[in-house]
Amino acid sequence: MKSQTKIGFELVNYVLLGLMALMMVFPFWNVLVMSFSTPHLVYEGQLLFWPKQWTTVAYNAVFQNRQFIQTFQNTVFITIVGTAVSMLLTTTLAYPLSKRTIKGTGVMLFIAFFTMLFNGGIIPSYLLVKELGMLNSLWSLIIPSALSVFNLMIMVSFFRSLPTELEESAKIDGCNDIGVLLRIVIPISLPVIATLTLFYAVSKWNMFFQAVMYNSDISKMTMQVLLRQILMQMTSDAVDAAMAGEVPKIGVTVKMAMIIIATVPILLIYPFLQKYFAKGAMIGSVKG
């Protein structure tokens, strides 16, 4: 049986961890509650634990926007296709670079690392995308940012930690390098693959600056850009109402609704990757 000291220690741990979890969840819950509450109650700054005078007017203002469906589809396309392309490039590049027996891998890794410290800047990047004919195209938000050197380094580190005996035994059985990668390396690399997939997906979903810089076509707009436009319009309306001595209409709740809309879809992916994420995030932190 457990001693009273150990039981007390575990009880204190549960209480402290529960309070920390509550502190992290409450801000998100408060935003969700305010997004479903009457605007004037939110504007008055009331601390809400449950929606008062339940209303969906803020979400209606966003969803009824004629461009919302198109921008949502654009963002989903960029996230899914962009993540797939990024993982394909990262995996196929990291595997050969993880082999110390291949000449030139050290130089290639240095060149890749160099781009993390120095880059051409915004204007050369824009001119490159323009010369490639990708302006006003969703591919301008996928191809230029397809490979993250930071994620590449993580995957190289993971591949180097795998036992070489597995690959040697596979080659004895007749596998070539591609077969080893597909049948041996990738199946046992699910933690790092899941972790980097989540990193890439979040980056693609939240893409904003590139969307503003490369696209002027409204039909190629991303959801983050549209939500910013709605926010600016609602803020302007709220300022005009305040100057006129009126109560701002729905601008304050629309802000909260936009936070939920932009957060929940990508947040729903996390539970499916959670069992791999904890292990993948620790890659490279332990040696031996």
Side-chain angles (χ1 to χ4, degrees):
M1 296 180 62
K2 295 182 179 180
S3 64
Q4 293 183 352
T5 303
K6 188 173 183 179
I7 294 176
F9 177 76
E10 291 182 353
L11 180 62
V12 171
N13 277 345
Y14 287 138
V15 172
L16 291 178
L17 292 175
L19 291 175
M20 291 178 62
L22 183 62
M23 292 173 59
M24 297 177 184
V25 172
F26 178 74
F28 183 80
W29 171 253
N30 188 241
V31 170
L32 180 64
V33 167
M34 288 191 291
S35 68
F36 283 107
S37 299
T38 302
H40 74 85
L41 295 176
V42 179
Y43 180 72
E44 292 172 0
Q46 297 188 24
L47 185 62
L48 304 176
F49 294 94
W50 193 256
K52 293 184 178 180
Q53 301 181 17
W54 178 285
T55 178
T56 59
V57 62
Y59 291 93
N60 293 337
V62 178
F63 293 142
Q64 289 178 359
N65 189 292
R66 293 176 297 178
Q67 299 174 350
F68 179 79
I69 299 300
Q70 181 64 48
T71 57
F72 183 80
Q73 292 176 348
N74 292 342
T75 304
V76 171
F77 175 82
I78 292 170
T79 302
I80 295 177
V81 178
T83 302
V85 171
S86 296
M87 287 305 302
L88 176 64
L89 293 177
T90 303
T91 304
T92 54
L93 181 58
Y95 182 64
L97 291 181
S98 65
K99 305 302 177 185
R100 293 187 174 91
T101 56
I102 300 178
K103 295 182 179 180
T105 55
V107 176
M108 291 296 297
L109 285 173
F110 174 78
I111 294 174
F113 178 75
F114 186 83
T115 63
M116 293 180 61
L117 306 178
F118 305 97
N119 58 75
I122 296 176
I123 295 178
S125 299
Y126 177 84
L127 294 177
L128 176 60
V129 173
K130 180 180 179 181
E131 290 299 322
L132 293 175
M134 291 191 298
L135 289 181
N136 294 322
S137 168
L138 295 181
W139 292 106
S140 65
L141 309 180
I142 296 176
I143 302 302
S145 59
L147 182 65
S148 168
V149 177
F150 177 78
N151 293 340
L152 175 67
M153 296 296 182
I154 293 177
M155 186 163 281
V156 168
S157 176
F158 183 86
F159 285 163
R160 285 183 173 177
S161 67
L162 298 178
T164 57
E165 292 79 8
L166 290 175
E167 299 184 25
E168 292 174 355
S169 61
K171 290 183 178 180
I172 292 175
D173 291 336
C175 271
N176 54 21
D177 291 328
I178 297 178
V180 171
L181 176 62
L182 296 178
R183 298 181 181 182
I184 304 298
V185 176
I186 291 181
I188 63 178
S189 302
L190 291 181
V192 68
I193 290 176
T195 302
L196 298 187
T197 297
L198 183 62
F199 288 170
Y200 276 123
V202 171
S203 175
K204 302 295 183 183
W205 180 266
N206 293 325
M207 187 170 291
F208 170 77
F209 181 74
Q210 293 91 332
V212 174
M213 183 169 61
Y214 297 142
N215 289 335
S216 59
D217 187 352
I218 298 178
S219 64
K220 300 299 188 300
M221 187 185 303
T222 63
M223 190 175 67
Q224 304 299 335
V225 178
L226 177 64
L227 294 181
R228 173 180 174 270
Q229 291 185 356
I230 296 175
L231 176 61
M232 292 178 63
Q233 180 62 39
M234 293 298 177
T235 303
S236 177
D237 293 343
V239 171
D240 293 340
M243 293 181 63
E246 303 174 357
V247 177
K249 298 181 180 178
I250 63 173
V252 64
T253 53
V254 168
K255 295 178 184 178
M256 306 304 169
M258 288 190 298
I259 294 175
I260 300 300
I261 293 171
T263 304
V264 168
I266 197 67
L267 193 64
L268 294 177
I269 300 177
Y270 182 79
F272 298 99
L273 302 177
Q274 184 178 9
K275 63 180 180 179
Y276 302 110
F277 184 79
K279 183 177 179 181
M282 295 294 293
I283 293 169
S285 62
V286 180
K287 296 293 184 181

